[in-house]
Amino acid sequence: MDILKSRFLPLIALIASLLFLYFRTPSSNKSIDAECSLLTHDHYWIVSKRVVTPRGVAPAAVEVKAGCINTVKEGEYDKSSLQNAHVLDYGHAVLMPGLIDVHAHLDEPGREEWEGFSTGTKAAAAGGITTLIDMPLNSFPSTVSEETLKLKLEAAKKKLYVDVGFWGGLVPENAFDPSALDKLLKAGALGLKSFMCPSGINDFPMTNSTHIKEGLKVLAKYKRPLLVHAEVVPESESHVAHGSDESDPRSYATYLKTRPPSWEEAAIRELKDASEETRVGGNAEGAHIHIVHLADSRTSLDLIKEAKRGGSSLTVETCPHYLAFSAEEIPDGDTRFKCAPPIRDEANRQSLWEALLEGHIDMLSSDHSPSIPDLKLFNEGDFLRAWGGISSLQFVLPITWSYGKTYGITFNQLASWWSERPAKLAGQTNKGAIKSEMDADFVVWMPEVEFELDENYDIYHKHRNISAYLGQRISGKVLATFVRGNLVYSEGKHASAACGAPILAEQ
């Protein structure tokens, strides 16, 4: 019996090993779920003359296995060495890390008539975005507790065409309740978001600097960020918020006066003080403050620079609409352009570009904030009463490129602003770059191809007519989008099933 064991045990072990490798190791002949991808292989190569890696832009071949990047062969590749593999050759198209949008409102559950997971993530995929982080408002209820985060996850099932993570909300109700915040963060919220002015959403009230400091103490334990809408109404200017009775509500200048740069400045002064807690030895050491959608490039930006120089853990984003538009060109009554903070003047726009190029602004986001068309009050054109928010999710890559070309932006800068730095903010160490062992998240696009955002262009937002970008002629056509190796979008067609994954923070 012992002799039989000694003869057959090694053979059994060998068979077991072979079976393990068969089921664990993808082969070029192994197919994946055809509904999740427009491609039928889970082991393949993507080749292009312009691949954007951390080292620069060069010809390269990228090997994808089981949803991850296995190998990146930079330089002129020998096609004959890939002849036995499945190869996608994109020629001179740019292969770049998929975009990561850390600021999007998908509004589900509760307001899916504004936008929803299915339409929002379809639009994202068509725009080269492979990861979205959903804001805790304008859905209903807002995501301010463990229970409401579970409602988000339930609502998202089988509707995600890209990967989606979730910010939780910091509000007065939970700010002084460390246990409630612990539960929300342990449930998987990637960080917290707060408003320093009224949000416009009843169940998401504003916070003050005391609430923010309490939230930072809890976030410090988890090494997760606090995102802040930085506008505060100074007491001396509280009358300005309502405008003058003689003002024309159809005039964009009227709306602009109701939210002056001093609001951003006041908020960022308070955040600068709070950020001292994030420094070494502070009560919230290890926490991080992220200022969303910066619009003021003057005093507010100077305060941010000062806080960074002082050692505060702080980053800031701006959005394509602040880089593309200026107040002087917004037509009276065209409420598609209303957002908060507002789009400011041309000199401010130029200064935002300078700050972005010089590295003082860390990253970009869409702040995709749609609504039903009725709330934009198109017939009345009333900027004071219309819902504020720019619908932009599908267009952010070509818009950034089209307006950025004037400033000589590079593909690596795009990858930094839209992939690498957002991945770091959201704690996604496996996303944001084309290098081995990362998720195979890619966008393939042609920077030279021009197109018009008109009635013939396929737009996947819930409501196509509310975007301020309609009527623009821009360049930078997205050809294909891959999410964890799945080809989820290609030349106007989506995969038949929504196989994106919810992203929850790890403990």
Side-chain angles (χ1 to χ4, degrees):
M1 189 68 177
D2 290 339
I3 295 174
L4 287 174
K5 283 183 180 180
S6 65
R7 287 181 177 176
F8 286 106
L9 281 176
L11 179 61
I12 293 169
L14 176 62
I15 293 171
S17 298
L18 290 172
L19 286 170
F20 176 81
L21 288 171
Y22 176 80
F23 286 109
R24 283 292 301 271
T25 305
S27 71
S28 59
N29 296 318
K30 186 178 177 183
S31 62
I32 60 176
D33 189 337
E35 292 188 344
C36 293
S37 178
L38 298 169
L39 185 66
T40 57
H41 297 77
D42 74 345
H43 180 198
Y44 56 91
W45 291 79
I46 302 178
V47 298
S48 170
K49 296 291 185 182
R50 294 187 287 182
V51 178
V52 183
T53 74
R55 294 162 57 89
V57 182
V62 181
E63 183 186 20
V64 176
K65 275 189 177 182
C68 294
I69 300 171
N70 190 56
T71 308
V72 180
K73 293 184 177 181
E74 295 185 42
E76 291 291 343
Y77 42 82
D78 181 5
K79 288 187 178 180
S80 64
S81 67
L82 307 178
Q83 63 184 357
N84 294 323
H86 188 81
V87 178
L88 300 176
D89 190 343
Y90 284 105
H92 282 83
V94 173
L95 177 66
M96 202 168 78
L99 278 65
I100 298 173
D101 186 358
V102 295
H103 191 151
H105 297 267
L106 296 183
D107 303 338
E108 193 172 359
R111 291 191 177 94
E112 49 265 49
E113 69 274 16
W114 291 20
E115 189 70 274
F117 286 116
S118 180
T119 54
T121 59
K122 267 191 171 182
I129 297 169
T130 53
T131 302
L132 283 173
I133 315 298
D134 182 51
M135 281 292 167
L137 72 166
N138 306 324
S139 54
F140 183 78
S142 294
T143 312
V144 296
S145 65
E146 177 186 14
E147 294 74 23
T148 50
L149 177 56
K150 288 179 180 177
L151 293 177
K152 273 277 186 189
L153 292 168
E154 186 65 30
K157 282 183 178 178
K158 297 182 179 181
K159 295 178 183 177
L160 306 181
Y161 285 85
V162 302
D163 291 349
V164 177
F166 307 90
W167 302 121
L170 177 71
V171 292
E173 178 185 350
N174 61 24
F176 297 106
D177 188 346
S179 175
L181 291 179
D182 273 327
K183 289 178 180 178
L184 176 56
L185 293 166
K186 286 179 180 178
L190 299 177
L192 301 176
K193 164 74 180 294
S194 70
F195 268 71
M196 297 179 75
C197 63
S199 71
I201 297 296
N202 291 335
D203 70 341
F204 204 93
M206 61 183 279
T207 54
N208 58 34
S209 57
T210 303
H211 299 127
I212 285 170
K213 289 178 181 179
E214 291 299 314
L216 286 173
K217 292 177 187 177
V218 178
L219 286 163
K221 296 188 298 181
Y222 296 88
K223 300 293 190 290
R224 298 181 205 168
L226 175 66
L227 288 76
V228 186
H229 180 122
E231 284 184 291
V232 161
V233 187
E235 289 185 14
S236 61
E237 297 182 18
S238 59
H239 66 284
V240 177
H242 304 290
S244 167
D245 290 339
E246 290 94 28
S247 299
D248 178 7
R250 288 181 53 83
S251 168
Y252 184 73
T254 298
Y255 172 62
L256 192 58
K257 290 176 184 176
T258 67
R259 297 186 93 109
S262 58
W263 286 27
E264 289 187 83
E265 179 187 337
I268 290 170
R269 284 190 188 280
E270 292 188 21
L271 288 175
K272 182 174 175 290
D273 291 340
S275 72
E276 293 181 3
E277 300 294 317
T278 71
R279 300 176 187 177
V280 176
N283 291 331
E285 179 185 343
H288 180 82
I289 295 174
H290 179 74
I291 297 169
V292 301
H293 51 47
L294 180 74
D296 173 37
S297 62
R298 297 180 175 91
T299 304
S300 299
L301 186 62
D302 289 338
L303 290 168
I304 291 167
K305 293 178 188 178
E306 188 178 332
K308 287 182 175 183
R309 286 195 299 268
S312 293
S313 183
L314 185 146
T315 50
V316 59
E317 71 186 46
T318 193
C319 306
H321 45 272
Y322 298 120
L323 300 171
F325 305 125
S326 58
E328 294 90 334
E329 66 181 305
I330 296 175
D332 286 352
D334 196 344
T335 55
R336 296 177 304 161
F337 290 88
K338 181 180 178 180
C339 59
I343 295 164
R344 305 200 186 279
D345 62 32
E346 175 62 17
N348 185 83
R349 185 183 79 87
Q350 297 282 356
S351 295
L352 282 175
W353 270 112
E354 291 172 10
L356 181 64
L357 292 166
E358 291 170 2
H360 301 303
I361 294 174
D362 300 277
M363 66 192 76
L364 297 174
S365 75
S366 72
D367 189 14
H368 176 65
S369 184
S371 70
I372 56 174
D374 287 351
L375 290 179
K376 298 300 279 186
L377 303 180
F378 291 136
N379 291 334
E380 300 170 46
D382 188 332
F383 276 106
L384 299 181
R385 295 192 303 111
W387 179 262
I390 304 289
S391 180
S392 61
L393 196 56
Q394 189 175 331
F395 315 133
V396 292
L397 174 56
I399 289 294
T400 307
W401 173 248
S402 297
Y403 285 88
K405 286 188 298 181
T406 305
Y407 300 89
I409 67 171
T410 67
F411 299 139
N412 278 101
Q413 285 174 315
L414 281 175
S416 176
W417 300 332
W418 277 113
S419 303
E420 179 185 353
R421 292 176 183 174
K424 183 178 180 181
L425 177 72
Q428 300 306 298
T429 57
N430 59 329
K431 294 181 181 292
I434 296 180
K435 58 183 182 181
S436 59
E437 299 184 4
M438 303 289 275
D439 284 355
D441 293 349
F442 312 117
V443 55
V444 182
W445 62 293
M446 286 296 293
E448 299 80 10
V449 174
E450 293 187 352
F451 57 95
E452 291 192 17
L453 290 177
D454 57 19
E455 64 277 1
N456 298 316
Y457 192 80
D458 289 331
I459 297 174
Y460 299 96
H461 300 155
K462 185 84 168 183
H463 304 288
R464 61 173 294 136
N465 66 320
I466 64 172
S467 177
Y469 293 112
L470 292 180
Q472 296 268 317
R473 184 169 181 82
I474 54 179
S475 59
K477 182 175 176 58
V478 173
L479 303 181
T481 303
F482 295 78
V483 178
R484 285 175 291 102
N486 287 328
L487 179 56
V488 298
Y489 174 83
S490 180
E491 296 284 7
K493 183 179 180 182
H494 288 81
S496 57
C499 298
I503 299 171
L504 297 176
E506 297 179 0
Q507 301 305 312

